[in-house]
Amino acid sequence: DTVARLGHAAGIIGGVGADDFGRCVLDRLQADGVDSRNVAQMAHMATAVAFVTYFDDGSRKFIYHIDNTPAVLGDLTDAAAVRDPAFFHVMGCSLMANDAFRARIFDTLAFFHAHGAKISFDPNIRPELLGERSLGELVEPLLAKCSVLLPGVTELAMLGGAEEVEENVRRAFAAWPLEVIVLKRGKQGCTVFTRTGQIDAPAFPVEEVDPTGAGDCFDAGFLCGLLEGKPLAECARTAAAAGALNAAAFGPMEGRISPATVAEMLRGGQPA
């Protein structure tokens, strides 16, 4: 959704029920310009939901009702909608809900990769979904084709297995054909690693209202920067602006994100 709001062509693959929750989601996506031809509406099934609990110390807990819903039955039903794809982006928690769905995601990833798309991946680990499984066993087929990895510090450590960030970065580049690792550090900003160096970018200071969804908006901002041919440092700044705008509003999709508001953040202003 954020990619579309930032002015780029974007589509989503998934499924919703033929209920008010499903219509709400589709109406929002379509209003923001997202191609939703590959979102199936399934009668007699309820749309998946996730509840977020916020604690006084700033931590969160998620309660998911995803398995056995249309969310894990979505598929690429309209391949004609795919034309010269630039990126196929996967959010890690979608790989954790259902084994059959994960296999379908990998098949779809292979289709996009064969059609020229680069693969971007945000591990987005949710312990409530991961359970006792190791992260590596769930994501290895994806990482074998991944170009842009967008983890948090803990997620990178889970993938690399070491205590030091630099060692986990080294192991990741050695194991997979990554071009860029964008390490998200929350209020401390981010670090963009390539095979030849690194770039640090600060976060934008905003009054945080709700961090939910900010990381996903960050991902979108970074990918949009790549689509626009920006240097990596500018991609990181664009990503930080999108994430900050979303964190300043309550709700995972409610930040006032647009090319104009991001540009204003980048110029040093604060959107009203």
Side-chain angles (χ1 to χ4, degrees):
D1 190 80
T2 297
V3 169
R5 284 191 281 165
L6 288 176
H8 293 275
I12 188 168
I13 302 170
V16 297
D19 53 24
D20 285 346
F21 281 155
R23 281 187 286 274
C24 177
V25 170
L26 283 176
D27 286 350
R28 175 62 179 274
L29 292 172
Q30 291 165 359
D32 287 345
V34 179
D35 186 332
S36 55
R37 282 178 285 180
N38 284 295
V39 178
Q41 292 180 277
M42 301 179 185
H44 313 300
M45 296 189 75
T47 300
V49 293
F51 297 91
V52 188
T53 303
Y54 297 88
F55 296 95
D56 291 340
D57 64 357
S59 62
R60 294 168 293 158
K61 181 178 180 181
F62 293 79
I63 302 173
Y64 291 99
H65 295 284
I66 294 179
D67 205 3
N68 301 310
T69 74
V72 295
L73 297 174
D75 204 356
L76 180 62
T77 57
D78 187 357
V82 179
R83 295 181 300 276
D84 299 321
F87 287 97
F88 180 74
H89 183 69
V90 179
M91 182 174 62
C93 63
S94 64
L95 300 173
M96 302 175 194
N98 177 292
D99 290 342
F101 187 49
R102 181 169 65 257
R104 197 177 313 122
I105 292 172
F106 290 154
D107 289 342
T108 307
L109 181 151
F111 170 87
F112 274 85
H113 191 259
H115 283 74
K118 291 186 176 183
I119 308 304
S120 59
F121 179 49
D122 182 342
N124 199 28
I125 302 305
R126 297 288 179 246
E128 299 88 347
L129 290 174
L130 183 61
E132 298 301 317
R133 298 172 294 183
S134 73
L135 178 61
E137 70 182 270
L138 297 184
V139 304
E140 181 62 37
L142 185 155
L143 289 169
K145 292 182 171 67
C146 186
S147 294
V148 181
L149 179 64
L150 300 125
V153 175
T154 300
E155 293 162 341
L156 182 62
M158 292 175 71
L159 291 170
E163 293 185 6
E164 298 297 326
V165 165
E166 291 74 15
E167 176 61 16
N168 287 319
V169 168
R170 187 196 68 77
R171 292 182 183 185
F173 277 129
W176 304 301
L178 301 169
E179 297 176 18
V180 181
I181 299 173
V182 187
L183 186 63
K184 294 182 281 190
R185 302 177 185 269
K187 295 178 181 178
Q188 283 71 52
C190 70
T191 303
V192 181
F193 294 93
T194 67
R195 293 179 179 271
T196 57
Q198 69 182 69
I199 300 166
D200 292 312
F204 286 90
V206 295
E207 182 178 347
E208 182 180 286
V209 176
D210 183 3
T212 307
D216 300 300
C217 294
F218 177 102
D219 298 345
F222 192 87
L223 295 179
C224 286
L226 292 178
L227 289 171
E228 294 162 13
K230 294 179 177 179
L232 290 178
E234 289 188 42
C235 293
R237 293 279 287 166
T238 300
L245 285 164
N246 206 65
F250 184 72
M253 295 170 61
E254 302 311 310
R256 294 186 60 250
I257 297 172
S258 69
T261 56
V262 168
E264 189 172 352
M265 290 281 280
L266 293 175
R267 287 194 300 268
Q270 183 71 33

